């Protein structure tokens, strides 16, 4: 049998390419002589001339040299930093079309990783935002100094150049204002700024978070050491120039690391936390508490979970990967009992506090892995009717998948932030579960991220 040897693309080779679809990272995907080529910035339906920038055994990467046929959905990105920054991937695509492409990314993942008849599945239209700008409630901007000027922003795509971002189009206006103000305070007071190369200097990062519903603002300065020069003056200036600041915090991280936060946190002024509201629930957010970055869409996502659970007041519910308890608390008023677990002990403490604050007596939170905790409960005769999972990007642990298949809850509600791992997990669960439907929700407009809520029912 004669095998056709694929003609390999050469580095720097230019060639025409028709873009078939969007990839999982928001790049255009096309095929040249049967070889897959990923092209950032190219859109489905476009005919482009591409230069090969990277050659891998299974695929090539390229950059656009020329657009011969332009997508009717291509728009001018409003953000001046869009091309350099890399924080967003889809600002050049009309928003309504972004929602369609995100649904398509889920369909592609199911086609690639499952044996299901994807065209027979109920995959709903993506739930978008009325105003898809200024939605992020938290920013973490690195700080640097160039020619005596203090910069704050993000590192450019595939580079170590810090892009000084005056105004981020997807950040809440109050976090933008906070960063700009703190940056000028550091400049005015000549506070030593950390230099990554020499590892000298003190201030590394400015983190700003706003309670979107409450308007409360928190500023965190991440420093390399506890001693912060002119600390009192910095506090006074922040309070004077940003009257809405309710919490000023210092976090110490002297390590050579890409992690933002260090282990030690000190309250400098005001409260240690700010308040935020989601629906009828209130949360206290301390500097290091994980909280959804887009509260408006979080409410829509959690309402979809509630719809999928369709509780009657009799059900036992497990909130796996419960974090500070948000999803479980959202369901608790309609459930007989909600039990949650998480590997981070501080999150469990917060979940207990949150349940108590809302007067909920039908919740129980324990630290630990779901796959270890759940079988113990089942052994003691406590079997859940509904399990809700909201795992990290890596998806469900294999042991947990096996636990679910053994425990066999009537319903499994899978909240996913990664279509590939969702599809792989659905394939594993398909031995006993049918997919009722999948509801995509756009949590991060203008980026390639897509979240969804999938309802799986026991056969």
């Amino acid at each position: 049998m004669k095998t056709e040897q694929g003609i390999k693309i050469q580095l720097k080779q230019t060639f025409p390419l028709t873009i078939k679809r969007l990839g999982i990272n928001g790049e255009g995907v096309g095929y040249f002589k049967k070889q897959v080529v990923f092209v950032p910035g190219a859109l489905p339906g476009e005919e482009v001339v591409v230069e090969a920038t990277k050659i891998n055994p299974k695929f090539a990467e390229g950059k656009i040299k020329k657009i011969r046929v332009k997508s009717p959905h291509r728009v001018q990105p409003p953000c001046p930093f869009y091309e350099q920054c890399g924080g967003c991937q889809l600002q050049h695509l009309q928003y309504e079309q972004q929602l369609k492409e995100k649904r398509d990314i889920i369909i592609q993942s199911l086609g690639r990783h499952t044996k299901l008849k994807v065209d027979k599945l109920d995959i709903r239209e993506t739930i978008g935002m009325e105003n898809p700008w200024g939605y992020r409630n938290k920013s973490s901007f690195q700080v640097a100094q160039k020619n005596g000027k203090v910069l704050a922003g993000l590192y450019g795509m595939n580079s170590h150049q810090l892009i000084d971002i005056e105004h981020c189009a997807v950040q809440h206006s109050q976090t933008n204002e906070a960063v700009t103000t703190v940056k000028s305070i550091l400049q005015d007071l000549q506070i030593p700024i950390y230099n990554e190369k020499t590892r000298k200097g003190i201030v590394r990062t400015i983190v700003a978070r706003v309670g979107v519903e409450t308007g409360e603002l928190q500023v965190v300065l991440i420093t390399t050491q506890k001693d912060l020069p002119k600390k009192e003056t910095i506090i006074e200036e922040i309070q004077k120039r940003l009257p809405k600041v309710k919490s000023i915090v210092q976090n110490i991280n002297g390590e050579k690391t890409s992690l933002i936060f260090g282990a030690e946190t000190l309250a400098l002024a005001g409260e240690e936390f700010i308040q935020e509201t989601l629906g009828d629930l209130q949360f206290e957010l301390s500097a290091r508490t994980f909280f959804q970055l887009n509260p408006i869409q979080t409410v829509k996502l959690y309402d979809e979970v509630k719809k999928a659970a369709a509780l009657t007041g009799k059900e036992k519910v497990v909130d796996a990967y419960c974090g500070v308890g948000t999803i479980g608390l959202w369901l608790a008023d309609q459930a007989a009992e909600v039990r949650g677990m998480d590997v981070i002990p501080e999150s469990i403490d917060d979940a207990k506090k949150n349940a108590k604050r809302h007067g909920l007596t039908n919740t129980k939170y324990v630290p630990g892995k779901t796959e270890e905790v759940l079988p113990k409960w089942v052994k003691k005769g406590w079997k859940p009717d509904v399990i809700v999972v909201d795992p990290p990007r890596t998806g469900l642990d294999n042991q947990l998948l096996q636990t679910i298949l053994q425990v066999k809850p009537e319903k499994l509600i899978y909240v996913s932030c990664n279509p590939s791992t969702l599809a792989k997990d659905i394939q594993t669960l398909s031995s006993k579960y049918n997919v009722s439907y999948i509801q995509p929700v756009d949590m991060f407009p203008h980026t390639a991220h897509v979240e969804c809520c999938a309802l799986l029912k026991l056969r």
Side-chain angles (χ1 to χ4, degrees):
M1 200 175 109
K2 194 175 149 205
T3 58
E4 188 185 324
Q5 188 60 39
I7 301 165
K8 289 286 169 239
I9 297 168
Q10 303 297 314
L11 199 62
K12 294 205 179 251
Q13 182 181 344
T14 56
F15 49 90
L17 197 68
T18 300
I19 304 300
K20 300 289 188 197
R21 54 187 171 83
L22 276 191
I24 201 124
N25 300 312
E27 68 286 72
V29 181
Y31 296 87
F32 182 68
K33 301 197 169 163
K34 295 188 177 169
Q35 200 167 356
V36 68
V37 185
F38 296 112
V39 187
L43 295 173
E46 291 191 327
E47 291 173 25
V48 291
V49 178
V50 168
E51 181 186 319
T53 54
K54 208 172 181 183
I55 309 294
N56 282 47
K58 291 189 173 170
F59 61 90
E61 290 175 32
K63 64 177 180 190
I64 300 173
K65 295 298 279 183
K66 189 178 170 201
I67 301 176
R68 283 181 175 162
V69 177
K70 205 158 126 178
S71 162
H73 308 295
R74 181 177 278 277
V75 291
Q76 186 57 38
C79 171
F81 312 105
Y82 176 61
E83 302 286 329
Q84 312 154 282
C85 157
C88 299
Q89 300 81 40
L90 296 176
Q91 279 194 23
H92 61 295
L93 178 60
Q94 199 182 359
Y95 186 59
E96 286 310 309
Q97 195 62 25
Q98 287 182 30
L99 300 178
K100 290 180 180 151
E101 295 297 348
K102 289 188 181 197
R103 177 176 177 268
D104 187 59
I105 286 172
I106 293 169
I107 292 168
Q108 286 177 47
S109 295
L110 291 162
R112 197 173 303 128
H113 300 295
T114 74
K115 297 189 174 83
L116 303 175
K117 291 190 172 72
V118 181
D119 53 343
K120 297 277 191 287
L121 292 178
D122 178 6
I123 301 166
R124 301 180 173 179
E125 298 298 322
T126 310
I127 297 172
M129 292 189 82
E130 275 135 53
N131 172 18
W133 300 101
Y135 58 81
R136 284 181 72 105
N137 60 5
K138 182 182 176 184
S139 68
S140 307
F141 279 4
Q142 306 301 322
V143 191
Q145 203 160 20
K146 195 176 179 186
N147 306 328
K149 184 176 182 260
V150 178
L151 317 176
L154 301 170
Y155 286 107
M157 265 187 295
N158 314 322
S159 87
H160 224 66
Q161 275 306 102
L162 192 76
I163 315 288
D164 190 32
I165 299 173
E166 285 294 326
H167 173 92
C168 171
V170 294
Q171 280 293 346
H172 192 281
S173 58
Q174 272 184 255
T175 64
N176 272 325
E177 187 193 356
V179 172
T180 310
T181 306
V182 173
K183 185 166 68 168
S184 56
I185 292 168
L186 298 175
Q187 178 85 49
D188 295 349
L189 299 175
Q190 299 284 296
I191 305 299
I193 302 299
Y194 180 66
N195 180 321
E196 273 206 328
K197 285 199 182 92
T198 63
R199 298 203 55 207
K200 289 191 167 61
I202 293 170
V203 179
R204 294 175 80 131
T205 312
I206 303 167
V207 178
R209 172 145 67 178
V210 63
V212 174
E213 289 296 321
T214 61
E216 293 182 3
L217 190 61
Q218 180 178 59
V219 169
V220 187
L221 288 177
I222 297 181
T223 58
T224 52
Q225 58 180 52
K226 199 168 180 172
D227 184 30
L228 176 60
K230 305 183 188 169
K231 188 192 287 184
E232 296 309 316
T233 318
I234 294 173
I235 294 167
E236 275 168 35
E237 285 299 319
I238 292 176
Q239 287 172 328
K240 191 169 84 187
R241 300 189 206 183
L242 291 165
K244 284 187 178 166
V245 165
K246 196 188 172 202
S247 167
I248 305 173
V249 175
Q250 180 186 1
N251 173 273
I252 295 122
N253 182 358
E255 302 298 309
K256 191 176 164 54
T257 171
S258 58
L259 294 175
I260 291 172
F261 283 93
E264 193 181 356
T265 306
L266 311 166
L268 296 184
E271 305 287 337
E272 280 188 42
F273 45 76
I274 56 170
Q275 303 278 353
E276 180 57 305
T277 308
L278 275 187
D280 301 329
L281 303 176
Q282 279 81 41
F283 295 94
E284 288 181 350
L285 309 180
S286 62
R288 295 183 63 187
T289 307
F290 169 77
F291 196 72
Q292 294 280 8
L293 290 164
N294 183 343
I296 293 170
Q297 292 299 88
T298 300
V299 168
K300 294 180 191 175
L301 179 67
Y302 290 177
D303 279 345
E304 286 303 322
V305 173
K306 200 168 212 174
K307 224 183 273 178
L311 301 173
T312 62
K314 297 182 182 136
E315 293 84 359
K316 299 187 190 87
V317 178
V318 163
D319 179 9
Y321 305 92
C322 70
V324 298
T326 35
I327 292 181
L329 298 177
W330 206 258
L331 303 174
D333 63 335
Q334 296 182 356
E337 188 181 2
V338 172
R339 291 189 180 187
M341 62 287 273
D342 199 287
V343 290
I344 301 167
E346 294 84 24
S347 293
I348 292 298
D349 295 341
D350 283 346
K352 286 177 181 170
K353 276 185 212 150
N354 287 330
K356 195 176 174 186
R357 188 181 313 122
H358 293 95
L360 295 165
T361 52
N362 62 339
T363 59
K364 176 179 175 157
Y365 292 101
V366 298
K369 292 181 174 176
T370 312
E371 58 269 24
E372 288 164 12
V373 175
L374 190 54
K376 289 176 189 165
W377 289 346
V378 173
K379 229 178 212 167
K380 288 179 182 165
W382 192 90
K383 180 181 178 287
D385 305 290
V386 179
I387 294 181
V388 183
V389 292
D390 183 6
R393 289 190 66 75
T394 45
L396 298 180
D397 179 274
N398 190 47
Q399 205 184 334
L400 176 53
L401 287 164
Q402 299 314 316
T403 303
I404 291 167
L405 290 169
Q406 279 155 13
V407 173
K408 296 199 278 256
E410 281 302 313
K411 285 181 188 170
L412 174 70
I413 299 163
Y414 193 135
V415 178
S416 159
C417 61
N418 182 345
S420 302
T421 50
L422 169 71
K424 288 173 189 169
D425 292 346
I426 282 177
Q427 179 55 35
T428 306
L429 294 162
S430 66
S431 61
K432 289 182 182 165
Y433 284 85
N434 289 331
V435 177
S436 284
Y437 66 84
I438 295 175
Q439 175 62 67
V441 178
D442 189 24
M443 295 288 275
F444 299 103
H446 313 295
T447 76
H449 288 287
V450 54
E451 305 252 340
C452 59
C453 170
L455 172 62
L456 282 75
K457 285 186 179 169
L458 191 66
R459 271 206 287 285

